[in-house]
């Protein structure tokens, strides 16, 4: 497995063949590994990008304390059969001025609470698609709204790649795997289980009741890329968690 830091190095490291890209921010868990596995099955070359994208964090969010463990991530990626890890030190020129705004879809759910989040996500993904030139890119249903935003951008800007969305990987207790779960104390983790339990009811009113002891940003049914999902974001202590279930559409 090659580890490269610049787009020039990446170009040199890429063998011939179809490319599957998995964009990540690191701190790998089984959710990431499922995307690597799917990319491995469907492409000749698997590229994983590892970059904690400052543009998708708000001023009061957790950019500075986001979990980072590159050595461990590289071991896990190598074991998963990844060919190239693209881990740039920075992706934006100091004078960076161009942003991708996916209107409407970026304003609901997460967008209401993280105003410039999806502009940062869409922009970094477009930059990664241009640098890596993948035939397929892999995203998790865990971030259902993100996947829908990226699909909208790909359709709207006529990008020539396929977006693949893989199911949510959960721990045995039902909590969706997330790099941010590392922030939870054992007591907080216990309280966080209300989130998957509430969503499992597939009923907005019932879910709201079951989440009444937590600090809820939203519990809402929304239409995302032809899927109807029940999605929620809650804060447990200092940690913000999101999760969703599909009510109608693919994977319901
Ligand atoms: P992140 O490193 O958190 O930006 O996540 C990278 C990719 O992994 C995104 O497409 C996420 O949706 C996906 N992902 C994160 N957690 C999970 C999970 N529990 N199950 C499936 N995919 C996930």
């Amino acid at each position: 497995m090659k580890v490269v830091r610049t787009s020039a190095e990446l170009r040199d490291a890429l063998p011939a063949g179809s490319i599957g890209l998995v964009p990540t921010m690191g701190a790998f868990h089984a959710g990431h590994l499922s995307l690597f596995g799917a990319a491995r099955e469907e492409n000749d070359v698997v590229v994983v990008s590892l970059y904690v994208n400052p543009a998708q964090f708000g001023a009061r969010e957790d950019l500075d304390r986001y979990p980072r463990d590159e050595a461990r991530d590289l071991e896990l990626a190598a074991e998963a059969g990844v060919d190239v890890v693209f881990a740039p030190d920075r992706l934006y020129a100091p004078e960076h001025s161009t942003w991708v705004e996916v209107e409407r879809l970026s304003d609901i759910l997460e967008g209401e609470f993280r105003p410039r989040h999806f502009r940062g996500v869409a922009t970094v993904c477009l930059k990664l698609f241009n640098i890596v030139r993948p035939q397929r890119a892999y995203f998790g249903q865990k971030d259902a709204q993100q996947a829908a935003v990226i699909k909208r951008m790909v359709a709207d800007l006529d990008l020539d790649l396929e977006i693949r969305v893989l199911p949510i990987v959960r721990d045995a207790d039902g909590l969706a795997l997330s790099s941010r779960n590392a922030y939870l104390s054992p007591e907080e983790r216990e309280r966080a289980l209300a989130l998957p339990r509430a969503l499992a009811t597939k009923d907005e009113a019932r879910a709201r009741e079951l989440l009444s002891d937590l600090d809820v940003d939203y519990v809402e049914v929304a239409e995302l890329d032809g899927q109807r999902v029940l999605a929620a974001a809650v804060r447990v202590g200092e940690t913000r968690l999101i999760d969703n279930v599909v009510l109608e559409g693919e994977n319901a």
Side-chain angles (χ1 to χ4, degrees), residues 47-95:
V47 178
V48 167
S49 62
L50 199 176
Y51 180 65
V52 181
N53 174 32
Q56 70 188 69
F57 286 79
R60 284 184 302 279
E61 293 181 2
D62 56 345
L63 174 62
D64 292 337
R65 65 180 192 122
Y66 196 81
R68 290 170 172 86
D69 189 346
E70 190 183 283
R72 177 176 169 276
D73 285 349
L74 295 180
E75 273 177 36
L76 291 171
E79 278 169 26
V82 171
D83 297 299
V84 181
V85 173
F86 176 48
D89 295 319
R90 58 162 224 201
L91 267 185
Y92 300 89
E95 58 275 33

Coordinates of all heavy atoms in Angstrom, one line a residue, residues 47-95:
V47 N -8.6 3.6 -3.7 CA -7.9 4.8 -3.1 C -8.8 5.3 -1.9 O -10.0 5.4 -2.0 CB -7.8 6.0 -4.1 CG1 -7.2 7.2 -3.4 CG2 -7.0 5.5 -5.3
V48 N -8.1 5.5 -0.7 CA -8.8 6.0 0.4 C -8.2 7.4 0.7 O -7.0 7.5 0.7 CB -8.6 5.1 1.7 CG1 -9.0 5.8 2.9 CG2 -9.4 3.8 1.5
S49 N -9.0 8.4 0.8 CA -8.5 9.7 1.2 C -8.7 9.9 2.7 O -9.7 9.5 3.3 CB -9.1 10.9 0.4 OG -10.5 10.9 0.7
L50 N -7.7 10.4 3.3 CA -7.7 10.6 4.8 C -7.4 12.1 5.1 O -6.2 12.5 4.9 CB -6.6 9.7 5.4 CG -6.7 9.3 6.9 CD1 -5.6 8.3 7.2 CD2 -6.6 10.5 7.8
Y51 N -8.4 12.8 5.4 CA -8.2 14.3 5.5 C -9.3 14.8 6.4 O -10.5 14.7 6.0 CB -8.3 14.9 4.1 CG -8.1 16.4 4.1 CD1 -6.9 17.0 4.6 CD2 -9.1 17.3 3.7 CE1 -6.7 18.4 4.6 CE2 -8.9 18.7 3.8 CZ -7.7 19.2 4.2 OH -7.5 20.6 4.2
V52 N -9.0 15.4 7.5 CA -10.0 16.1 8.4 C -10.2 17.4 7.8 O -9.4 18.3 7.9 CB -9.5 16.1 9.8 CG1 -10.6 16.8 10.7 CG2 -9.2 14.7 10.3
N53 N -11.3 17.6 7.1 CA -11.6 18.7 6.2 C -12.1 19.9 7.0 O -13.3 20.0 7.5 CB -12.7 18.3 5.2 CG -13.2 19.4 4.4 OD1 -12.5 20.3 4.0 ND2 -14.5 19.4 4.0
P54 N -11.2 20.9 7.3 CA -11.6 22.0 8.1 C -12.9 22.7 7.6 O -13.7 23.3 8.4 CB -10.4 23.0 8.0 CG -9.3 22.3 7.4 CD -9.9 21.1 6.6
A55 N -13.1 22.7 6.3 CA -14.2 23.5 5.7 C -15.6 23.0 6.1 O -16.6 23.7 5.9 CB -14.1 23.5 4.2
Q56 N -15.6 21.7 6.6 CA -17.0 21.2 7.0 C -17.2 21.3 8.5 O -18.3 20.8 9.0 CB -17.2 19.8 6.5 CG -16.3 18.7 7.2 CD -16.5 17.4 6.4 OE1 -16.0 17.2 5.3 NE2 -17.1 16.4 7.1
F57 N -16.3 22.0 9.2 CA -16.5 22.2 10.7 C -16.9 23.6 10.9 O -16.3 24.5 10.4 CB -15.2 21.9 11.4 CG -14.9 20.4 11.5 CD1 -14.3 19.7 10.5 CD2 -15.1 19.7 12.7 CE1 -14.0 18.4 10.6 CE2 -14.8 18.3 12.8 CZ -14.2 17.7 11.7
G58 N -17.9 23.8 11.8 CA -18.2 25.2 12.3 C -17.2 25.7 13.3 O -16.4 24.9 13.8
A59 N -17.3 27.0 13.6 CA -16.3 27.6 14.5 C -16.3 27.0 15.8 O -15.3 26.8 16.5 CB -16.6 29.1 14.5
R60 N -17.5 26.6 16.3 CA -17.5 26.0 17.7 C -17.6 24.5 17.7 O -17.9 23.9 18.7 CB -18.7 26.6 18.4 CG -18.5 28.1 18.9 CD -19.7 28.6 19.7 NE -20.9 28.5 19.0 CZ -21.3 29.4 18.0 NH1 -20.5 30.5 17.8 NH2 -22.4 29.3 17.4
E61 N -17.2 23.9 16.6 CA -17.3 22.4 16.5 C -15.9 21.8 16.9 O -15.0 22.5 17.4 CB -17.8 22.0 15.2 CG -19.2 22.4 14.9 CD -19.8 22.0 13.6 OE1 -19.1 21.3 12.8 OE2 -20.9 22.3 13.3
D62 N -15.8 20.5 16.7 CA -14.7 19.7 17.3 C -13.5 19.5 16.4 O -12.8 18.5 16.5 CB -15.3 18.3 17.7 CG -15.9 17.5 16.6 OD1 -16.2 18.1 15.6 OD2 -16.2 16.3 16.8
L63 N -13.2 20.4 15.4 CA -12.1 20.2 14.5 C -10.8 19.9 15.3 O -10.0 19.0 14.9 CB -11.9 21.5 13.6 CG -10.7 21.5 12.7 CD1 -10.7 20.3 11.7 CD2 -10.6 22.8 12.0
D64 N -10.5 20.7 16.3 CA -9.2 20.6 17.0 C -9.1 19.2 17.8 O -8.0 18.7 17.9 CB -9.0 21.7 18.0 CG -8.9 23.0 17.2 OD1 -8.5 23.0 16.0 OD2 -9.1 24.1 17.8
R65 N -10.2 18.7 18.3 CA -10.1 17.5 19.0 C -10.6 16.2 18.3 O -10.7 15.2 18.8 CB -10.8 17.6 20.4 CG -12.3 17.8 20.3 CD -12.9 17.9 21.7 NE -14.4 17.8 21.6 CZ -15.1 16.9 22.2 NH1 -14.6 16.1 23.0 NH2 -16.4 16.9 22.1
Y66 N -10.9 16.4 17.0 CA -11.3 15.3 16.2 C -10.3 14.1 16.3 O -9.1 14.4 16.2 CB -11.5 15.7 14.7 CG -12.4 14.6 14.0 CD1 -13.8 14.7 14.1 CD2 -11.8 13.6 13.2 CE1 -14.5 13.7 13.4 CE2 -12.5 12.7 12.6 CZ -13.9 12.7 12.7 OH -14.7 11.8 12.0
P67 N -10.7 12.9 16.6 CA -9.7 11.8 16.8 C -8.8 11.6 15.6 O -9.3 11.4 14.5 CB -10.6 10.6 17.1 CG -12.0 10.9 16.8 CD -12.1 12.4 16.7
R68 N -7.5 11.5 15.8 CA -6.6 11.3 14.7 C -5.6 10.2 15.1 O -5.0 10.3 16.2 CB -5.8 12.6 14.4 CG -6.6 13.7 13.7 CD -5.8 15.0 13.7 NE -6.5 16.1 12.9 CZ -7.4 16.9 13.4 NH1 -7.8 16.8 14.6 NH2 -7.9 17.9 12.6
D69 N -5.4 9.2 14.3 CA -4.4 8.1 14.6 C -4.0 7.5 13.3 O -4.5 6.5 12.9 CB -5.0 7.1 15.6 CG -4.0 6.1 16.0 OD1 -2.9 6.1 15.5 OD2 -4.2 5.3 17.0
E70 N -3.1 8.3 12.6 CA -2.8 7.9 11.2 C -2.1 6.5 11.2 O -2.4 5.7 10.3 CB -1.9 8.9 10.6 CG -1.8 8.7 9.1 CD -0.9 9.6 8.3 OE1 -1.3 10.7 8.1 OE2 0.3 9.2 8.0
A71 N -1.2 6.2 12.1 CA -0.5 5.0 12.1 C -1.5 3.8 12.1 O -1.4 2.8 11.4 CB 0.5 4.9 13.3
R72 N -2.4 3.9 13.1 CA -3.4 2.8 13.2 C -4.3 2.7 11.9 O -4.6 1.6 11.4 CB -4.3 3.0 14.4 CG -5.4 2.0 14.6 CD -6.2 2.2 15.9 NE -7.4 1.4 15.9 CZ -8.5 1.7 15.3 NH1 -8.6 2.9 14.7 NH2 -9.6 0.9 15.4
D73 N -4.7 3.9 11.4 CA -5.5 3.9 10.2 C -4.8 3.2 9.0 O -5.4 2.5 8.2 CB -5.9 5.3 9.8 CG -7.0 5.9 10.7 OD1 -7.6 5.2 11.5 OD2 -7.2 7.1 10.6
L74 N -3.5 3.5 8.9 CA -2.7 2.9 7.8 C -2.7 1.4 7.9 O -2.8 0.7 6.9 CB -1.3 3.6 7.7 CG -1.3 5.1 7.3 CD1 0.1 5.6 7.3 CD2 -2.1 5.4 6.0
E75 N -2.5 0.9 9.1 CA -2.5 -0.5 9.3 C -3.8 -1.1 8.9 O -3.9 -2.1 8.2 CB -2.3 -0.9 10.8 CG -0.8 -1.0 11.2 CD -0.7 -1.2 12.7 OE1 -1.5 -2.0 13.2 OE2 0.3 -0.7 13.3
L76 N -4.9 -0.5 9.3 CA -6.2 -1.1 9.0 C -6.5 -1.0 7.5 O -7.1 -1.9 6.9 CB -7.3 -0.3 9.8 CG -7.4 -0.5 11.3 CD1 -8.3 0.4 12.0 CD2 -7.8 -2.0 11.6
A77 N -6.1 0.1 6.9 CA -6.3 0.2 5.4 C -5.5 -0.8 4.7 O -6.0 -1.5 3.7 CB -5.9 1.6 5.0
A78 N -4.3 -1.1 5.1 CA -3.4 -2.1 4.4 C -4.1 -3.5 4.6 O -4.2 -4.2 3.6 CB -2.0 -2.1 5.0
E79 N -4.6 -3.8 5.8 CA -5.2 -5.1 6.0 C -6.5 -5.2 5.1 O -6.8 -6.3 4.7 CB -5.7 -5.2 7.5 CG -4.6 -5.6 8.4 CD -5.0 -5.5 9.9 OE1 -6.2 -5.5 10.2 OE2 -4.1 -5.3 10.7
A80 N -7.1 -4.1 4.9 CA -8.4 -4.2 4.1 C -8.1 -4.2 2.6 O -9.0 -4.2 1.8 CB -9.2 -3.0 4.4
G81 N -6.8 -4.2 2.2 CA -6.5 -4.3 0.8 C -6.6 -3.0 0.0 O -6.7 -3.0 -1.2
V82 N -6.5 -1.9 0.7 CA -6.4 -0.6 0.1 C -5.1 -0.5 -0.7 O -4.1 -0.9 -0.2 CB -6.6 0.5 1.1 CG1 -6.3 1.9 0.5 CG2 -8.0 0.4 1.8
D83 N -5.1 0.1 -1.9 CA -3.9 0.3 -2.7 C -3.2 1.6 -2.4 O -1.9 1.6 -2.3 CB -4.2 0.3 -4.2 CG -4.8 -1.1 -4.6 OD1 -4.2 -2.1 -4.5 OD2 -6.0 -1.1 -5.0
V84 N -3.9 2.7 -2.3 CA -3.3 4.0 -2.1 C -4.1 4.7 -1.0 O -5.3 4.8 -1.1 CB -3.3 4.8 -3.4 CG1 -2.6 6.1 -3.2 CG2 -2.6 4.0 -4.5
V85 N -3.4 5.3 0.0 CA -4.0 6.2 0.9 C -3.5 7.6 0.5 O -2.3 7.9 0.5 CB -3.6 5.9 2.4 CG1 -4.2 7.0 3.3 CG2 -4.2 4.6 2.8
F86 N -4.4 8.5 0.2 CA -4.1 9.9 -0.1 C -4.3 10.7 1.2 O -5.5 10.9 1.6 CB -5.0 10.4 -1.2 CG -4.8 11.8 -1.6 CD1 -3.5 12.4 -1.7 CD2 -5.9 12.6 -1.8 CE1 -3.4 13.7 -2.1 CE2 -5.8 14.0 -2.1 CZ -4.5 14.5 -2.3
A87 N -3.3 11.1 1.9 CA -3.4 11.8 3.2 C -2.7 13.2 3.1 O -1.6 13.3 3.5 CB -2.8 11.0 4.3
P88 N -3.3 14.1 2.4 CA -2.7 15.4 2.2 C -2.6 16.2 3.5 O -3.4 16.1 4.4 CB -3.6 16.2 1.2 CG -4.9 15.6 1.5 CD -4.7 14.1 1.9
D89 N -1.5 17.0 3.7 CA -1.4 17.9 4.8 C -2.4 19.0 4.7 O -2.9 19.5 5.7 CB 0.0 18.4 5.0 CG 1.0 17.3 5.2 OD1 0.6 16.4 6.0 OD2 2.1 17.3 4.6
R90 N -2.6 19.5 3.5 CA -3.7 20.5 3.3 C -4.2 20.4 1.9 O -3.5 19.9 1.0 CB -3.2 21.9 3.6 CG -2.0 22.3 2.7 CD -1.9 23.8 2.7 NE -1.6 24.2 1.4 CZ -1.0 25.4 1.0 NH1 -0.7 26.3 1.9 NH2 -0.8 25.6 -0.2
L91 N -5.4 20.8 1.7 CA -6.1 20.7 0.4 C -6.5 22.0 -0.2 O -6.9 22.1 -1.3 CB -7.3 19.8 0.5 CG -7.2 18.3 0.2 CD1 -8.5 17.6 0.2 CD2 -6.5 18.0 -1.2
Y92 N -6.4 23.0 0.6 CA -6.9 24.4 0.2 C -5.7 25.3 0.1 O -5.0 25.4 1.1 CB -7.9 24.9 1.2 CG -9.2 24.0 1.3 CD1 -9.2 23.0 2.3 CD2 -10.3 24.2 0.5 CE1 -10.3 22.2 2.4 CE2 -11.4 23.4 0.7 CZ -11.4 22.4 1.6 OH -12.5 21.6 1.8
A93 N -5.6 26.0 -1.0 CA -4.6 27.1 -1.0 C -5.1 28.2 -0.1 O -6.3 28.4 0.2 CB -4.6 27.7 -2.5
P94 N -4.1 29.0 0.4 CA -4.5 30.1 1.4 C -5.6 31.0 0.7 O -6.4 31.6 1.4 CB -3.2 30.9 1.6 CG -2.2 29.9 1.3 CD -2.7 28.9 0.3
E95 N -5.5 31.2 -0.6 CA -6.4 32.1 -1.3 C -7.6 31.4 -1.9 O -8.4 31.9 -2.7 CB -5.7 32.8 -2.4 CG -5.0 32.0 -3.5 CD -3.6 31.5 -3.2 OE1 -3.3 31.2 -1.9 OE2 -2.8 31.3 -4.1

